[in-house]
Amino acid sequence: MEKAQEWFNYGIELAKEFGPKLITAILIYIIGSWLIRKLIGTTGRVMSKSKYDESLQKFLLNLVSWALKIFLIIIVVSRLGVDVTTFAALIAAAGLAVGLALQGSLSNFAGGVLIMIFRPYKIGDVIEAQGVLGAVKEIEIFTTKLTTPENKLAIVPNGAMANGNIINYTAEGKIRVDITIGIGYDEDIKQAKDVLLEVLTSNPKVLKDPAPTVNVSNLGESSVDLAVRSFSTPGDYWDVYFATMENCKLALDAAGIEIPYPHAVEIQK
């Protein structure tokens, strides 16, 4: 009983000494977390009204949010009575160990910073990088998220994005639509070119500048291949591609121009 009483008294003394500090630390964490959320939300709305680039806006908000949370944790720990200088030394030592273990993550963070500085792409751009083609959905601190044409979400590390080749289909504001169509050797090439050019010029989504063109690109084994080329905005690419493919076939059929296809050879016995 005496031992239990000693432990009870010891617990009371600890509660008196550390209880107020613990309660204060918890309150600081709760209030600080709420203030950080409010600050990030308000800053985000201000940046949106100021027409900040969406890519830069999300990246900076994520960065500021993490920095403020780390600062809040330091305040909470110091309120518990832990020496801040000792805590900072521990963080530095832990940071070194974690840094060595997570070199890839640090590389991705550096890649994210480089992407924000040099801006090879932004949210909404259609790009091809690291074997992935898609529209940029979000640029985070460590990764870039792409939405593929199949509506799949691709997550690519920023380190690889910053150090690899990137093809940006949106940056120039227009993209060329290439289609190859073959006609028979007996057909009138000039007539076929006129028919196909009419298909291109009649499509309102085909840009007038640069002007669409139709040229002989190859003399194949069974066909004269025509390169049907036009320009569209990146957002209209697939609409123009599919419409051109279908309308060229219909227009050639209407003009009586043959599109060659392989014929089965029947062997007489």
Side-chain angles (χ1 to χ4, degrees), residues 139-252:
I139 304 173
E140 297 185 333
I141 296 177
F142 298 107
T143 61
T144 293
K145 294 181 179 180
L146 305 175
T147 303
T148 69
E150 300 86 5
N151 202 35
K152 298 177 181 178
L153 178 64
I155 302 175
V156 186
N158 283 337
M161 296 292 282
N163 294 304
N165 296 328
I166 299 173
I167 301 175
N168 192 323
Y169 294 100
T170 306
E172 298 300 321
K174 59 187 70 173
I175 185 171
R176 194 174 74 185
V177 183
D178 290 354
I179 294 175
T180 300
I181 295 179
I183 62 172
Y185 271 93
D186 295 333
E187 305 300 335
D188 187 329
I189 292 178
K190 185 179 184 308
Q191 180 190 9
K193 290 174 64 176
D194 291 341
V195 169
L196 296 176
L197 196 58
E198 174 62 26
V199 170
L200 297 178
T201 56
S202 62
N203 188 337
K205 292 186 177 181
V206 170
L207 300 179
K208 307 303 180 186
D209 183 26
T213 60
V214 179
N215 296 290
V216 176
S217 62
N218 182 52
L219 299 177
E221 293 183 3
S222 60
S223 66
V224 177
D225 295 333
L226 301 178
V228 182
R229 295 176 174 174
S230 60
F231 283 82
S232 73
T233 62
D236 289 336
Y237 176 86
W238 288 113
D239 290 340
V240 171
Y241 180 90
F242 291 127
T244 300
M245 187 72 74
E246 179 179 346
N247 292 334
C248 283
K249 173 64 168 65
L250 296 174
L252 291 175

Side-chain angles (χ1 to χ4, degrees), residues 7-17:
W7 281 108
F8 179 77
N9 293 335
Y10 181 69
I12 294 295
E13 292 298 324
L14 285 178
K16 289 180 179 179
E17 182 178 357

Side-chain angles (χ1 to χ4, degrees), residues 36-54:
I36 289 174
R37 288 195 299 271
K38 294 293 289 183
L39 178 62
I40 294 299
T42 302
T43 305
R45 288 190 292 273
V46 171
M47 294 175 74
S48 297
K49 291 181 180 179
S50 301
K51 297 182 179 179
Y52 267 77
D53 178 77
E54 188 178 0

